Amino acid sequence: MKYDPINVSLFVSNRANLKKMLLRNSIAVVNANDILPTNADGSLLLRQNSDLFHLSGIEQEESILMLYPDAQEEKQREILFLRQPNALMETWEGHKLTKDEAKKISGVACVEWLPEFPALFHRLMCECEHVYLNSNEHKRARVEVETRDARFVRDVRERYPLHDYQRLARLMHRLRVVKSGPEIELLRKACAITEAGFRRVCRFVKPGVNEMEVEAEFAHEFTRRGGRFAYSPIISPPA
């Protein structure tokens, strides 16, 4: 983690707010974003699904959050599924979350390894009536690559055609547009980091400096303050 830990109460509260909006006897599932390939065995860095992060604080690939507020067993009302770490994975991919670490970050009491997901999901699908599945429904989005959520939607609807399916994005948009106190403080911190980046660049820029050096100054300031680029930098070349 390259930033200060976020208080777990934020994610607990976000999930509680979502669960209030679900229909009775509903399951909601959110998948992590894919890690996209480049060439050979290369890959891009993970840019986590914002909805999954909003509800759990988890920034690890292949993670799945499943919410079933009306499950008969209390431990099945919130379940987080993760890749199971091992020594070989850590050598090539770096540290992966343990169950205890994931619980501390997310506040989800029940954390399982990914191989447990299919059987548990099937069991709970046999009990629920409504299923909330996620998709990118931003008005300006042009989705040309099939996402992990999209593949999941297609697979679930094929295997369980008689359930009532609902759009989770519709609810997430309503939740995320209203910022809580802790979220506002995080936004203020992000604004302060951005300001520091611009002030650093203003002090640095002079004749002969190129756009690569300007980008490096932003990156330096953002990284040292526990931030990162919110989007790919757009820096004009010299005239």
Side-chain angles (χ1 to χ4, degrees), residues 95-121:
H95 178 73
K96 302 298 177 183
L97 294 173
T98 66
K99 288 184 178 182
D100 285 341
E101 289 170 337
K103 291 175 185 178
K104 184 177 180 180
I105 292 170
S106 67
V108 176
C110 183
V111 178
E112 303 287 354
W113 302 129
L114 270 175
E116 301 298 321
F117 176 77
L120 263 173
F121 181 66

Side-chain angles (χ1 to χ4, degrees), residues 37-219:
T38 55
N39 299 98
D41 63 347
S43 61
L44 300 176
L45 294 176
L46 173 69
R47 189 60 173 248
Q48 186 57 289
N49 183 312
S50 296
D51 293 330
L52 179 62
F53 184 81
H54 180 84
L55 296 170
S56 69
I58 298 298
E59 291 193 279
Q60 187 165 291
E61 70 284 350
E62 298 183 33
S63 305
I64 303 173
L65 176 66
M66 183 166 64
L67 304 178
Y68 187 5
D70 298 313
Q72 294 180 3
E73 295 186 37
E74 184 175 355
K75 69 178 183 178
Q76 294 177 343
R77 294 172 188 172
E78 293 186 342
I79 310 176
L80 181 64
F81 297 88
L82 301 174
R83 294 177 71 191
Q84 184 171 3
N86 57 60
L88 180 61
M89 183 188 300
E90 186 163 352
T91 297
W92 292 105
E93 300 182 23
H95 178 73
K96 302 298 177 183
L97 294 173
T98 66
K99 288 184 178 182
D100 285 341
E101 289 170 337
K103 291 175 185 178
K104 184 177 180 180
I105 292 170
S106 67
V108 176
C110 183
V111 178
E112 303 287 354
W113 302 129
L114 270 175
E116 301 298 321
F117 176 77
L120 263 173
F121 181 66
H122 176 73
R123 176 180 173 183
L124 297 179
M125 282 291 283
C126 291
E127 298 176 7
C128 78
E129 296 178 42
H130 312 285
V131 187
Y132 286 83
L133 300 178
N134 208 20
S135 61
N136 183 354
E137 297 186 18
H138 192 280
K139 295 177 182 178
R140 295 191 300 275
R142 292 183 59 189
V143 183
E144 298 181 355
V145 177
E146 189 176 45
T147 64
R148 181 172 292 270
D149 265 329
R151 297 194 301 274
F152 183 74
V153 169
R154 184 183 65 241
D155 180 61
V156 171
R157 291 181 70 104
E158 286 177 355
R159 290 191 292 126
Y160 305 96
L162 301 182
H163 283 69
D164 171 55
Y165 288 94
Q166 300 285 330
R167 293 156 51 210
L168 184 62
R170 180 175 58 91
L171 304 186
M172 294 303 303
H173 290 176
R174 288 164 55 189
L175 284 174
R176 290 178 54 195
V177 75
V178 179
K179 304 302 182 185
S180 64
E183 287 176 308
I184 291 172
E185 287 305 310
L186 289 169
L187 288 169
R188 285 175 175 154
K189 183 175 181 179
C191 289
I193 292 172
T194 303
E195 178 188 1
F198 274 100
R199 290 187 181 277
R200 180 188 182 99
V201 167
C202 286
R203 293 191 299 267
F204 172 78
V205 171
K206 60 185 178 181
V209 167
N210 64 42
E211 64 270 27
M212 292 181 292
E213 294 173 284
V214 172
E215 181 177 337
E217 293 299 309
F218 275 117

Side-chain angles (χ1 to χ4, degrees), residues 8-19:
V8 67
S9 64
L10 173 61
F11 306 118
V12 173
S13 175
N14 288 346
R15 292 195 300 275
N17 291 335
L18 174 60
K19 286 187 280 188

